[in-house]
Structures are given as structure tokens and as C-alpha cells.
Amino acid sequence: MDERLLKPYDPPTSEAAAQGLWLQSGAFAANPSSPLPPFSMVLPPPNVTGILHLGHAAMVTIEDIIARYARASGRDVLWVPGTDHAALATQAKVESLLHKETGQTRHDLGRDKFLAQVETYAQSSHDTIVEQIKRLGASLDWPREAYTLDATRERAVRTAFKQLYDDGLIYRGHRLVNWDPRLQTTVSDDEVEWVEREENFYYLKYGPFVIGTARPETKFGDKYVVMHPDDARYQQYEHGQKLTVEWISGPITATIIKDPSIDMAFGTGAMTITPAHDQADFDIATRHQLDHEPVIDLDGKLLPLAGPFAGAHIKKARPQIVATLEAKGLVEKVDPRYHHRIPTNSRGGEVLEPQVLKQWFLAVNKPLARRGGQTLKELMRQPVESGQIKITPDRFSKIYFHWIDNLRDWCISRQIWYGHRLPVWYRGDEIYCGIEAPIDPGWEQDPDTLDTWFSSGLWSFSTLGWPSDTQELKRYHPLTVMETGYDILFFWVARMILMSQALRGEIPFRQVYLHGIVRDEGGKKMSKSLGNIIDPLDMINKYGADALRLALIIGTAAGSDSKISEEKINGYKRFINKVWNASRFVIEHANNNQTTPLTAADQNTLNEFEALTRDVTGDLEQYRFYLAAEKLYHYFWHVFADKIIESVKERLHGQTSSTDQDSGRQLLAITLGRLLIMLQPFAPHITHTIWQIWKPDQPLIMFEPWPMS
RNA sequence: GGGCGGUUAGCUCAGUUGGUAGAGCAUAUCGUUGACGUCGAUAAGGUCAGAGGUUCGAGCCCUCUACCGCCCACCA
């Protein structure tokens, strides 16, 4: 009996030894020239904004199970690690640290010095994250690690930008965008988080009309009053008719506009518009070619148009403006219980102010000549519709189509410093777009950077070396599986389909598996502000990586949120202990002589076990990891340990024949071996450790063939 | 306003094509020095949110309702 088995299982020692051996021996390395069928996947790159939480740990666990199962099924597995620079999130994080520690802003430091600080922060965050992922036992091919902002990815980003610019899909335009006055940058539509609030709703007299608004402070420049062309109440007014009305700071000339987008049932059916600060108003103004004069500046302060209120911040000015309106008798009534949704920045929480700005956009409705005149929307929709890309669970396909239908041109330029600078240079009125800077003098590069999802969108192929025509790209793209959270279906999955379809003319992956959000015991989303973040390392140190992995996977169906508690993790720690002790008994009593025939009863037990094998294999093939793990757990403990081992024990102590005893010993050896192989994707450390002790001359358990009958 | 998910034992959740309700944790009692006290055995605990329908048979399929949660949407 090996003395290592006599001691209780000690996760820290065994896990460190196992991980050290795996990494050192290159066990996770993909081999592009392997004759085995390829299997490919990329790790959704975590943001370098701090540490990983249990949600990340669940993601790594699911993907590691997929990768290890594929390896055990005899495939050449490529699983690429990487991290994401998360432009805005990381910059905002460092800016707030800087402000807290020194009271300085990024402008006090200047672009170069500030970026150096961001890099330092990103590097340390990266190191923590990589350590966390390794401690989970993830079988990633580390030498291929990528960063969304490294040199290879920089070249990919510039190449992609130039290609789409040359295609005429990337353009510069004056459009209404989501502006964050605090972070001083634009934000894409998908990043807007709408927050419901109860506010006052004001009914204001505007000449002969009564108009409603929740934002009186934007109303200074309102010189258009809009109504539905069929509204009988306003039949006497003609489209384009002008009239003078008394307004906040004196009389102004108002123009009547008739537009069918107006809801006759809402309020009075008449409204004034603020095209410079509201999407709907901007659209109406565009349809009728109206002015869109700004009222609010980029800091959120009122412009000279606001007369005596110029320079005041909109938040402070509102009550004063309402007071002025009341004094003039222009307030008809106030509804104090108006429910209204306010756009905020999901990457910082500040209220956003729509602004008309000159920005760079990616056109989603423009035909792309290189792709048979299909638009990006069509290119995104078609592969999911045709089933070329399969989304699990299926219900997300519908959500995906709905998102595409509502999609507007994507604003890709950001006024922040951390990120890929736009590969665009200006000289007077000239614009140059290229992978390298122009050589002749006088050109100035655009100071803006790209939306972080632009580089993430290239991830399925930029990690494989694109735009170089690499062996990896040929062999592993499209990826076999894309596993990620349903919360970034639009941000990321959709953008990868867009980029791969547009730039490579192929899908980025064949199968999308979406997992849910890991919540705390109370069902709350884990977040730093709630203080309920659990560091996976704490749990690994306390219960071991295998126990944590099992706790994270069991009870977690695709696309469903799950809850995690320490009690659950502890429960699986006990299972790991059970595996250790049962293995100890079997190894001590096993019969490794493969030729011993099994008795009919033992053969029957083995046949039943084979049914489990088929069941578990089917679950893994169908991405039902939680069921596979649960069935193995249940069988190991309540059938193998409780019944099979117990009955063999009795036979060994009883008066049965030696052939019967040998048969029992062999049944134990066969069953344990296969159980360990099947448990390996879920609990790689303990199964590896037992295997090393039991069968030191055989290959690593992760390369043992999957027991399919 | 549109769409989606959930509602099963005290708690967390399974229940894959409809065939007499399951697991873990927690609880109670008993037991156990040879694989394992990080254990074993036993027990208690559910009109499967509610109503109606299809069926020989419904937790599962259909309709409606309630509550919880999520996503999307230019009601100013």
C-alpha cells in the first residue's frame, strides 16, 4: 500500500503538484500538426480591472470540463487564454484610484504618464487573474496567451479598421451619441443602462399648446412644436406654420411640425422637441431637416442659449427654471409621480447626456460589396437563422434576432486614452486611414480610442494570429465552441459574428453555449458595491479546487442563474474525501489481472455501470454538464461506495470461493478506473493524484480514453 | 408596450421523448475501533403557484391567472 494513500487527501499539496506537472509537461498544449481531430475554444478574456469572482470561476470550470472531455475523447484541443484591456472600465478604475490617492486627474498627469500607470495596474491585475485561473486547474494552453491590447492584436485591430473603412462601412459622422459628462466620453447603445425613477412631469404652456416634459432644463431652445398629422385637436395648424409664443426667457418663434411618430394619446398629443439631446427628437428633426442647436455642453452645463442660466449645471438649474416658468404662469400642472427611465453608463453609473457629436461609426445597414452586397445585420442574422451557428439554450436565438432588428450604427470612437488608438490621421481637411502612420510630415493622429468591444469582436481569429495566414487559423477557425455568459450575448457574441463574417467571410464558431449569472445565497448578483464578492482563491484554499468546481457546476443548467454558498462547496469537499477513501480501499484490494472472468452477477453490475457511462457521455455531448456531474456523484457515492464496495467487502471476509473473490476485486478495479476517468474533467486534481499513485507507469489520466462501450 | 425565464420537501435545485414525486444540505433517532466520524442506517417532510383543457394516464403538452426575475423598446 502506497503510503501517500494512507494520509487523508490534502488538496493544497496535491493540487500544486498536479498543476506543476501539467504545466511543466505541456499537457495542455495543442498540436496543430496532430492527426487527431481538432477541437478549439477561447477563454472569454476577463477584464484586467481587479480580481476574478465566482462567476468567472464557474465559467472557467465549465470550459475546462468541455476541454478535458474533448481531450479524453481523443481530440487535439486548443483552448486559448487571454485577458481584455476593458478600455473604459480599466481607465475609470485607475482614474478613481488616482483621484483617491493624490487628488489628481488624468489631465494633470498627461496622456503618456497616465497610460503608464494604467499599464502598471493592468499588469498586476492580470497576474492575479492568471494565478486564479491556474489554481482552478484550467487546462489552458498558456504559451498562447493573448491580450486584447498587445502587438499582435494591435495589428489585427488596425487591419480590421482599415478594411472596414475601405469597404465604406466605417464612417465619420455628426450624430446623436450617448455622452458621459463625468468620464468625458461616448458610450455605445449597448452600454446604456436604463434606470427607472419617479420624477415630476411638467405640463407647460407653449403658446396655444400645452406640452409635457420631465426635463424643463432642456427646453430653452425648443422652437418646434410637433403633433400627429391626423390629430383633430390641432387640425387648424398647418405643417410649417410659424407663431410667436412666450417662453422661458422671452418670446420666440415656434414652427409647427406634423409627424406621425407622435402618440396622440400621450399627454396633450403635442410636444416640443430638443433634437440635440434626445434620440427621438433627433430622429424627427432629421426627417424634417430641422436645426439641432445644443443647450447643454459636454460638462453638463447650460450654454449661452439659456440666457441667465448659462453656465449652471443642469441638475442645479432645474428647480430655478421651474420657478421662473411658474412666475411667468407657464406651468399648467405638475404630475409628481411620473415614472421615467434615465440613461446611465453601465460602466460607471453616471447619468448620460445625449449629444450631437462628430464620431466614428460602423454602418450596419449598408451593403458590403465583398460579401455579395449583404449588410452587417444580414451577415449577423443569417448563420444563426440557418443553424450554422447553434445557440444553447435555443431561446437566446430569438433574443439575438430581436437585438439585430433594433440595432443602429455602432459608435466605435471613445474619448478616453486607454485602448487602441484609431488608425486615422488628419492633415487639414485630409483624412488618412492606414495600418501604419503616413510618412510625410504634417499628419496628426486622431486622439480617440476604439470601443473595447471592437478588439474583442476580433477575438475568435485575432488569437489565432490573424491577419497573418497561420496554421492555427486554418486548423482551428471557426472555433468548435464559444462558451460565455448570456449577459454579453450582444456585446461580444454578436460582435464576433459580425467581425468574422465581414472580415473572413466565415462564422467565428459553430456552437454557442451560454451560462447564467452566479448569485449569492440570497439570489443577489455579486458585485463590489454590495460587498458580496467571493474570491475563488479563498474557497480553493479552504475546500480545494475540485470541491469548488463541483459546487459551481452541479445544479447549473445552461442559461440559468445559479446560487452558490459555502455550505454547498463544503458538501462537495466531503465527496472528494469519499472518492479518496473509496479509492484507497479499492487500490488496496484491487485485482489488476485483466483476464480474471467476472461472475454473472458482477457482469450484471458492470452492465448497469455501462448504462451510466452512456448516460453521462450523452449529457456531456448535449452540454448538460450539471447532470453528468450529478449522476457521477450519485453513482460513485450511493452505488459504487455504498453497495458495490460494501458487498465485495462482505465477500472478501466471507467464505466465498477464490474465483468469486477475484471477480469482485476485478469489478472494483474496472469500475473505479472508469469512474476516475469520467470524473477527471470535473475533479481533475484528485483523479490525477490517485491515478499517479495507482498506475504510475501509465499516461496521465487526462489522456486515458473515455470509457465508451 | 413587446418578449423571455422562474414558481417542485425547511433551504438550494434535479426531474432529458407524459407512465405510481427525486438529490444534496439542514432536522430527528440509532449506530460505527479496518476505505472513509469529512462516516453509515433509518425517519420525518411535497394536493409539483392557482384554474381549466387534451390524454387510459400530466410536474412535464395546450389556454388563462397570480407573483418573482430578466431582456428589449424614440410615451415627449
Side-chain angles (χ1 to χ4, degrees), chain A residues 119-422:
Chain A
E119 276 304 338
T120 307
Y121 177 84
Q123 186 60 48
S124 106
S125 174
H126 161 271
D127 295 348
T128 308
I129 288 168
V130 167
E131 164 73 6
Q132 288 178 303
I133 296 173
K134 285 184 176 168
R135 290 282 306 277
L136 280 161
S139 59
L140 284 151
D141 193 355
W142 287 104
R144 296 179 191 272
E145 187 183 347
Y147 185 47
T148 52
L149 202 56
D150 64 19
T152 311
R153 266 44 69 174
E154 171 83 45
R155 200 160 74 92
V157 163
R158 290 181 170 215
T159 306
F161 189 99
K162 179 167 170 43
Q163 177 66 260
L164 295 168
Y165 178 82
D166 292 344
D167 286 329
L169 295 191
I170 286 182
Y171 66 95
R172 202 178 186 205
H174 244 99
R175 301 260 314 273
L176 194 83
V177 293
N178 310 296
W179 178 258
D180 186 326
R182 190 170 67 88
L183 297 176
Q184 290 285 302
T185 182
T186 58
V187 166
S188 73
D189 292 344
D190 293 294
E191 249 134 355
V192 178
E193 189 178 330
W194 295 88
V195 178
E196 180 124 336
R197 278 196 200 162
E198 192 175 75
E199 291 198 313
N200 285 344
F201 191 77
Y202 303 92
Y203 288 88
L204 306 177
K205 289 180 193 151
Y206 186 83
F209 308 103
V210 172
I211 57 118
T213 184
R215 301 198 59 192
E217 71 277 10
T218 65
K219 294 282 148 191
F220 288 98
D222 286 10
K223 54 186 181 180
Y224 303 106
V225 57
V226 191
M227 55 214 70
H228 198 282
D230 300 336
D231 196 326
R233 291 168 294 182
Y234 304 115
Q235 251 180 346
Q236 63 206 80
Y237 301 100
E238 303 262 329
H239 178 79
Q241 186 182 340
K242 290 186 194 305
L243 50 152
T244 301
V245 301
E246 183 59 28
W247 199 221
I248 311 171
S249 36
I252 60 159
T253 303
T255 306
I256 307 282
I257 300 293
K258 302 265 181 158
D259 191 282
S261 71
I262 298 297
D263 178 359
M264 285 188 269
F266 185 83
T268 59
M271 72 174 211
T272 62
I273 56 169
T274 313
H277 303 292
D278 183 280
Q279 183 66 54
D281 294 2
F282 183 82
D283 291 347
I284 293 172
T286 306
R287 272 199 288 280
H288 301 281
Q289 290 159 355
L290 310 177
D291 299 338
H292 40 75
E293 200 175 352
V295 187
I296 302 162
D297 72 9
L298 296 182
D299 295 319
K301 291 181 178 148
L302 289 163
L303 287 162
L305 180 70
F309 299 100
H313 195 276
I314 46 172
K315 270 189 210 160
K316 291 182 185 143
R318 183 185 292 183
Q320 295 166 24
I321 292 164
V322 172
T324 304
L325 286 162
E326 265 166 353
K328 297 184 79 167
L330 293 177
V331 178
E332 168 101 359
K333 65 170 176 175
V334 180
D335 173 4
R337 307 198 53 190
Y338 179 65
H339 287 269
H340 161 138
R341 297 179 333 131
I342 302 187
T344 66
N345 183 355
S346 60
R347 316 279 148 181
E350 195 69 4
V351 174
L352 296 169
E353 192 57 63
Q355 290 279 5
V356 178
L357 294 172
K358 197 170 196 182
Q359 296 291 330
W360 287 89
F361 296 89
L362 180 59
V364 294
N365 288 311
K366 206 174 160 192
L368 176 55
R370 284 184 300 110
R371 298 283 170 257
Q374 290 191 91
T375 66
L376 291 180
K377 272 191 181 180
E378 287 161 352
L379 286 168
M380 279 190 273
R381 180 182 258 280
Q382 177 266 323
V384 177
E385 218 161 36
S386 70
Q388 230 189 323
I389 296 176
K390 191 170 174 287
I391 299 181
T392 302
D394 182 50
R395 64 173 187 271
F396 285 99
S397 304
K398 217 165 155 188
I399 297 173
Y400 174 77
F401 294 139
H402 189 244
W403 176 80
I404 292 176
D405 294 341
N406 285 304
L407 194 60
R408 295 165 185 271
D409 286 359
W410 174 16
C411 177
I412 53 175
S413 48
R414 297 287 177 275
Q415 292 64 55
I416 60 171
W417 292 343
Y418 193 52
H420 291 280
R421 197 126 162 214
L422 270 68

Side-chain angles (χ1 to χ4, degrees), chain A residues 430-668:
Chain A
E430 293 173 88
I431 293 182
Y432 173 83
C433 173
I435 293 164
E436 303 295 338
I439 332 151
D440 41 325
W443 290 93
E444 189 101 12
Q445 189 173 8
D446 193 313
D448 284 1
T449 50
L450 283 164
D451 182 356
T452 190
W453 297 103
F454 190 94
S455 52
S456 312
L458 310 173
W459 200 242
S460 75
F461 50 89
S462 70
T463 49
L464 302 177
W466 188 87
S468 298
D469 193 17
T470 62
Q471 217 186 334
E472 281 80 357
L473 211 44
K474 276 190 215 116
R475 179 168 168 85
Y476 299 113
H477 203 268
L479 303 173
T480 316
V481 179
M482 181 69 239
E483 197 286 338
T484 192
Y486 69 73
D487 52 333
I488 53 173
L489 175 64
F490 308 143
F491 287 124
W492 197 40
V493 177
R495 262 69 178 264
M496 282 192 286
I497 298 175
L498 182 160
M499 290 292 191
S500 186
Q501 288 275 79
L503 296 165
R504 289 188 50 81
E506 68 175 359
I507 54 172
F509 31 69
R510 302 179 201 285
Q511 169 73 237
V512 177
Y513 178 92
L514 298 170
H515 63 250
I517 294 165
V518 177
R519 297 172 183 278
D520 71 5
E521 286 164 89
K524 290 207 184 80
K525 201 167 170 170
M526 296 202 183
S527 77
K528 268 186 202 136
S529 52
L530 287 173
N532 58 354
I533 294 259
I534 298 177
D535 183 344
L537 283 185
D538 292 342
M539 296 299 108
I540 291 173
N541 290 333
K542 231 167 146 178
Y543 305 102
D546 290 341
L548 177 62
R549 291 167 61 111
L550 286 167
L552 287 170
I553 194 70
I554 293 178
T556 311
S560 305
D561 295 352
S562 57
K563 290 179 192 167
I564 187 81
S565 63
E566 276 202 56
E567 279 159 30
K568 187 173 177 188
I569 304 170
N570 190 42
Y572 292 104
K573 184 183 184 219
R574 289 162 53 199
F575 173 67
I576 294 299
N577 180 62
K578 190 76 182 176
V579 170
W580 180 258
N581 287 307
S583 300
R584 173 202 286 180
F585 178 83
V586 171
I587 291 170
E588 196 179 352
H589 296 95
N591 173 5
N592 289 314
N593 177 4
Q594 299 292 324
T595 56
T596 308
L598 291 180
T599 63
D602 286 342
Q603 185 58 50
N604 190 43
T605 305
L606 193 59
N607 291 347
E608 279 166 17
F609 173 65
E610 277 167 3
L612 172 87
T613 305
R614 281 190 297 275
D615 214 9
V616 166
T617 306
D619 286 337
L620 284 168
E621 294 286 340
Q622 300 299 314
Y623 301 96
R624 295 187 297 250
F625 316 107
Y626 63 107
L627 280 184
E630 206 176 330
K631 283 170 187 167
L632 285 168
Y633 170 99
H634 189 258
Y635 188 91
F636 195 101
W637 201 320
H638 300 298
V639 180
F640 183 63
D642 289 355
K643 303 218 165 74
I644 301 177
I645 289 183
E646 288 304 320
S647 79
V648 172
K649 220 196 273 181
E650 274 175 35
R651 282 152 64 184
L652 294 182
H653 293 137
Q655 298 294 319
T656 52
S657 67
S658 71
T659 48
D660 183 64
Q661 293 192 349
D662 285 347
S663 169
R665 288 170 190 224
Q666 201 189 331
L667 174 68
L668 291 187

